[in-house]
Amino acid sequence: SSSAASDVYKRQIYTLHYTAQPTDGKDVKAAERCSLWVDLLTGEPVPFEEMIQDLSVAGLVYIGETHSIKRHHEVQEQIVRALSNPDRKILLGLEQMEAFYQEQLDRYNKKEIEFDTLAKETGWGKRWSNYRDYREVMEAVREGGGHAVALNARLETVRAVARDGTAALKEDDPDLPAMVLYPDEPYAALLRKRMNVHGFVDRPALLENMVTAQMVRDEAMAQNLSRYMVKEEYRNHITVVLAGSGHVSFGMGIPDRLRKRMPAIKDRVVLISDSGDLRLSTHQRAIARDSGITREDLKAVGRPVARRNSARPFPRDFAKSGSFFGPMTSRATTSININSGIPMPNIPSPNPRKN
């Protein structure tokens, strides 16, 4: 019921807003821009210290990111350092590394190898292009005596599902947990809209396969995370999950699936605004199109997008967007979804668009 959903997401979501970048092409450093944390359930700004206290009480924090924005990773490190203390260490869940690399990651956790060696041994640069952006937050966790966990499904499996659907899944695949793909129709409906940003999606079957691939990622990450959270050695840890905003916004994706496994869990979702900082590559611009997401589509979800929202106050095109959470122009919508953690099959680079 709607009332039950409201109860589930009470005290859940924050967002950090930053003022938008100027339109003259000159980037302004994050420290020089106005910013504030907003509790999206009350609509009120909150001090950083108050938010950290609430996150500590919850014990499970999802930080949604746009992978390629450096500022998002700086905020992640800030939150992790604020949460970490001698009495409660951090269990860090990483979408950005596939679970079958946990052996190498454990060697890093134990300080047997350093970050660069970890990246080399896992071929991380070929599997997650901006892996270097996670160095500081991982170092912060390790310095505090915490533990990092690789959550994601194998990249090749996800791409195969995005291309061929569930026929690509094998019951005896050692890299996937025993998964149940819940219907999650509100989530699937939103994913269909988000994935329409990809210009190569030209068939309904391909769109459905990509939705399924996203759910495969979510299910794998939720199960891998739960296996650690129930261990006695991590019971008193604060769990922080770093994932693309598409996997955690509205409390759907990973949070919903983890809650099915751990119904009593208390969690929070933290999102960080793009605020004009997203830069698309030539290839990304060439394959992008307007996703067509409207405010009505977002209202239909029936949940707040996050509990604490980290962003810089409001975008320059706020008047056009009519949205407290950020711009909904076609350019901004395209930018948000092209880097939100949605799986993409191998697609050859198209010829650049002509103006």
Side-chain angles (χ1 to χ4, degrees), residues 8 36 52 56 95 131 174 181 204 247 255 260 264 305 319 329 346 350 355:
V8 168
L36 77 160
I52 291 298
S56 299
E95 176 203 357
Y131 73 93
L181 298 179
H247 291 287
K260 288 181 172 72
V305 68
T329 60
N346 288 321
N355 294 327

Side-chain angles (χ1 to χ4, degrees), residues 161-211:
V161 174
R163 185 177 59 248
D164 302 323
T166 54
L169 293 174
K170 300 178 181 178
E171 292 185 5
D172 59 349
D173 190 335
D175 299 314
L176 287 176
M179 293 185 300
V180 178
L181 298 179
Y182 298 97
D184 280 347
E185 186 51 38
Y187 183 39
L190 183 58
L191 286 177
R192 292 185 193 105
K193 286 283 189 177
R194 285 173 168 172
M195 291 179 183
N196 196 48
V197 71
H198 301 301
F200 59 80
V201 180
D202 56 357
R203 308 185 314 277
L206 177 58
L207 180 61
E208 290 306 310
N209 290 346
M210 293 177 67
V211 168

